Amino acid sequence: MGLTEVKYKISEKGLIPIDWDVKPIGNEIDLLTGYPFPSNNYVESGVRLLRGSNVKRGNTDWSEEITQYWEKLTPDLLQYVLKDGDIVVAMDGSLVGKSFARLSKKDIPALLLQRVARIRSNKIDLGYLKEFICSDYFTKHCEAVKTVSAIPHISPKDIRSFIIPIPPTKSEQTAIATALSDANTLIDNLEKLIAKKRNIKQGAMQELLKPRINWKDKKLGEASILKARIGWQGLTTAEYKSTGDYFLITGTEFKDGFINWEQCVYVDETRYNQDKNIQIRENDVLVTKDGTIGKIAFIKSLPKPATLNSGVFVIRPINDSFKPEFLFYLLTSEVFKRFLSQLSAGSTINHLYQKDFVSFKFKIPQTIKEQEEISKILSDMDSEVAQLEQKLFKYRNLKQGMMQALLTGNIRLS
C-alpha cells in the first residue's frame, strides 16, 4: 500500500480523482425494508427483532429493555434474516439519519423489523459504503430529504438517492475502509477503557467515602458558607457576551465534575465586581440550584476571573472545617443523591432552596490529612480519565481528517 499522485476533476461532490465516479447508491445496492411483525405476537425469547431503537450511531444495542423477540423462523421470513456485514439504517424517529450500524456475528441471528432498512452490495465494498452511511455526509443528506412530521422519516427512495464518490476498484475501496476501520477500532477501544476507568472510580468512591466509626458529623449550614447571585442584582441573558475578561458560570458548563470553560459566556467588569462573595476562587465547590439541580463542579484552576449567575451556589468551608475537594467528591456520591431524592419525594422539584440545602448532613474523617489522602486518590483517577479523554478527542479529530482526505480521494491508497 502506498501514496500515489492524484489528478482531479470537478463533480457533484466537489473535486475528486479523475478516475473516480460519482453516483447515487441506488443502483449499486440491494436495499430491503423490514417486515411489520405484529407486536401482539412478540414473545419473551426466540429470534431477536432488530428495531430502530436497537440501532445506534455506528453500533447496535441489544439491551434487555428495548429488545423484542419473535418465536421462530419460518420460510416466509427468510428474506428478513440479517447477515454478518449487513448495514442497517433506522428510517424514522428523532435520530433519523443518525442511527445506523454494520452488523457483526454478535448481532446474528436477528430479523429485520419494519422502518429499518438493510443494505447489501456486490458492487461497492460494504466497509467503504458503511463509512459514508456512518458519516455526516449521510446525516446531512437525510436532514435535507426527510419528511418533517410528528415522526420524521426517510423512504427507501431517499436512501437510494444518496450520492457518493466511488473509487474505480474494490481493492482501493477496501483499503480506504480498512484504514478508517482501524481508526474506529482505536477509538472504540479507548472509549471502552474510559468507561472501565470510570466504573473503577465509582467503586473506589463507594468504598473510600463509606463512613467509618471515627468519622465526625457535619451539617452543611454550620460548616460552610453558601452564596449565590441574589435576585435584586438582576443579571439578564441580554448581558451575556461571547468574549470578554470575566467568565459567567450558569450551570450549563458543568461537565464530569468540572467547568468546561470553552462553553462559558462572559459579563462585563461591573457585573463581576458587583458581588465579591460570588467571585470564584480556586478550591470552590459549585452546585446548581435551578433547572437540573444538584450538578456539582470543583474549581481546580481559574483561567480567567469568574462569577456566578443566580442558578449556582458556591460553597466554602468555615475555618477549615473540611477539605473542599473531599466535599466535592461527597456531593458527587450517592449520599447527596439520596438527600436530593428525599427533598423531591412527592413533588416535582426544580429548585434547590438554601433553607433546605443547609440541612444536608454528612460524615467526614476526623483530620484534614485523611480527607486530603482520600481526595488525592480520587483526583488522580479523575486526572487519568481526563488524559484519556483528551487522547480520545485527538483520535476523533484524526479520524475526521482521515475521512475528509480518504473519502474524497485527496489521499489515494493503492
Side-chain angles (χ1 to χ4, degrees), residues 262-405:
E262 292 181 359
Q263 290 188 350
C264 276
V265 295
Y266 299 82
V267 289
D268 61 28
E269 185 177 7
T270 303
R271 283 302 197 181
Y272 173 76
N273 289 326
Q274 189 172 28
D275 189 342
K276 294 187 181 299
N277 292 313
I278 55 172
Q279 291 176 355
I280 299 306
R281 313 167 193 165
E282 289 185 3
N283 295 314
D284 278 346
V285 178
L286 307 182
V287 181
T288 56
K289 63 189 184 77
D290 286 316
T292 304
I293 66 168
K295 292 194 292 185
I296 317 296
F298 182 68
I299 306 298
K300 275 201 168 183
S301 61
L302 273 170
K304 287 183 179 182
T307 185
L308 302 176
N309 81 340
S310 59
V312 183
F313 283 124
V314 58
I315 305 172
R316 296 170 182 142
I318 297 173
N319 298 326
D320 296 325
S321 57
F322 55 81
K323 175 76 174 175
E325 195 169 18
F326 182 87
L327 179 67
F328 159 69
Y329 284 114
L330 196 68
L331 292 177
T332 61
S333 73
E334 290 299 320
V335 175
F336 187 54
K337 290 176 184 176
R338 285 196 295 269
F339 171 77
L340 291 178
S341 179
Q342 290 167 359
L343 279 183
S344 61
S347 66
T348 304
I349 180 172
N350 57 7
H351 183 84
L352 179 59
Y353 293 97
Q354 184 163 337
K355 64 180 178 61
D356 296 320
F357 194 17
V358 293
S359 68
F360 175 57
K361 296 178 181 178
F362 54 95
K363 288 180 176 289
I364 61 172
Q366 290 281 349
T367 65
I368 292 292
K369 181 181 178 182
E370 187 178 354
Q371 296 174 35
E372 288 175 341
E373 288 172 348
I374 293 173
S375 299
K376 186 176 187 311
I377 293 171
L378 297 175
S379 178
D380 287 347
M381 289 181 168
D382 278 334
S383 296
E384 184 180 12
V385 170
Q387 290 171 10
L388 290 172
E389 286 182 330
Q390 286 179 354
K391 185 182 290 188
L392 178 61
F393 179 75
K394 291 178 181 178
Y395 285 176
R396 283 174 173 162
N397 283 343
L398 177 62
K399 164 75 186 307
Q400 285 300 114
M402 288 176 63
M403 289 182 69
Q404 179 64 31

Side-chain angles (χ1 to χ4, degrees), residues 191-233:
E191 287 175 339
K192 289 175 184 175
L193 179 59
I194 290 171
K196 179 180 178 181
K197 295 290 185 181
R198 287 188 183 280
N199 287 337
I200 291 172
K201 186 215 164 182
Q202 284 301 116
M205 281 182 62
Q206 188 173 349
E207 184 60 32
L208 291 171
L209 298 177
K210 187 186 300 180
R212 308 295 192 264
I213 293 176
N214 63 337
W215 283 20
K216 55 188 176 183
D217 293 314
K218 290 284 184 181
K219 190 175 181 181
L220 193 67
E222 297 170 354
S224 65
I225 297 171
L226 275 72
K227 294 292 181 182
R229 184 175 293 274
I230 51 182
W232 62 265
Q233 293 173 347

Side-chain angles (χ1 to χ4, degrees), residues 123-125 127-128 166-178:
K123 298 179 180 180
I124 305 177
D125 179 272
Y128 179 80
I166 304 174
T169 66
K170 268 199 173 183
S171 62
E172 185 173 3
Q173 297 169 24
T174 302
I176 292 170
T178 299

